[in-house]
Amino acid sequence: MRGRLLAVAAILVLAVPGLLLAKGIDLYSMFPNLTLGSDPNGLDNVYVSCAGITATTLTMQVHVVTDNADPNDAIQGIDVRLALTADQPGVTLDTTVATVFGGSSAVATWDNSTKAVGVVGNDPTVFPMDLTLGAVEQGNNDPGGPLGPGDYVFATLKFNVSSPTNISASGTTINSQSTTLVTTLANGYTVQVTGETCGPIVPTLTEWGLILFGVILFGSMVWYLRRRPVTAAA
């Protein structure tokens, strides 16, 4: 009996991490001939930028940059792994495919059945958060196509916030997998992710602003002293 319990416990230990993993795309099932290699030109990368802040939302964008000019090296699969943190409670990430991959996304016209947004733990309100963003162009009946050289908006991350919040996004490894791009010839390679922190803008004075402030302050003091009545000595 004890042996069976130990066996069940071992199975659970192995299975639970898999259950908690974000539901992302499986590049190996999408590309049966996938082989991990190197970037054809060595300059492809992913970076995050701040895209807007309101009283109730904060928006970030994930960009994919490639310089692969050869059509055989065009990007046909994208799998991005991010770690997100927020310095205030009450934050919720919109994980709908329409929001993440809609609008200005370069993969907006790719088939939605090959796009995935996954959160480890499946709770978009819990931070720190591990996030997977995946999309594959399978060349079906959709009007999309592989990505040639350029700087593309891949995904939009919209956070609903309840108070002014700083949110950070950086590259990470989830289930031993890092951010990966796949070409039309099923050549997969990992790329560097440059993160970003977005939040409320705190007004600050520049060097010239400080000089101007000092001049105004000095002028005000001179004006005050000149207008101050002088009391004659008794």
Side-chain angles (χ1 to χ4, degrees):
M1 182 67 178
R2 183 179 179 182
R4 291 182 179 178
L5 290 175
L6 290 175
V8 171
I11 293 173
L12 288 175
V13 168
L14 295 174
V16 167
L19 293 174
L20 293 178
L21 285 175
K23 182 181 179 182
I25 60 172
D26 183 357
L27 292 177
Y28 284 95
S29 65
M30 297 287 187
F31 298 92
N33 298 322
L34 176 63
T35 56
L36 295 180
S38 59
D39 181 351
N41 292 321
L43 297 176
D44 291 3
N45 64 89
V46 171
Y47 70 93
V48 182
S49 67
C50 304
I53 300 175
T54 69
T56 58
T57 63
L58 186 151
T59 305
M60 307 173 82
Q61 288 185 325
V62 181
H63 299 251
V64 172
V65 180
T66 177
D67 62 348
N68 298 348
D70 189 328
N72 291 325
D73 294 328
I75 304 301
Q76 191 171 353
I78 304 171
D79 184 16
V80 175
R81 309 293 174 107
L82 296 175
L84 306 176
T85 61
D87 67 353
Q88 298 295 329
V91 179
T92 301
L93 172 64
D94 185 341
T95 58
T96 59
V97 169
T99 297
V100 175
F101 296 118
S104 60
S105 172
V107 302
T109 55
W110 291 9
D111 190 346
N112 281 340
S113 66
T114 61
K115 301 172 187 173
V117 181
V119 175
V120 174
N122 298 318
D123 190 342
T125 67
V126 175
F127 291 82
M129 175 190 298
D130 283 340
L131 177 71
T132 65
L133 305 169
V136 173
E137 168 53 36
Q138 290 191 314
N140 297 329
N141 296 323
D142 62 73
L147 305 180
D151 183 335
Y152 301 95
V153 174
F154 171 58
T156 297
L157 305 180
K158 182 179 179 181
F159 302 88
N160 296 308
V161 299
S162 57
S163 62
T165 304
N166 293 297
I167 298 177
S168 298
S170 59
T172 191
T173 299
I174 302 174
N175 196 27
S176 302
Q177 296 182 24
S178 302
T179 295
T180 303
L181 304 181
V182 182
T183 69
T184 55
L185 291 183
N187 170 39
Y189 52 93
T190 60
V191 296
Q192 180 179 355
V193 177
T194 302
E196 181 63 281
T197 297
C198 304
I201 298 176
V202 179
T204 59
L205 287 175
T206 64
E207 182 178 352
W208 282 106
L210 288 172
I211 293 173
L212 180 60
F213 176 74
V215 170
I216 294 174
L217 182 61
F218 178 76
S220 299
M221 292 177 61
V222 171
W223 178 82
Y224 172 76
L225 292 175
R226 287 177 63 88
R227 288 181 57 86
R228 183 180 180 184
V230 178
T231 303

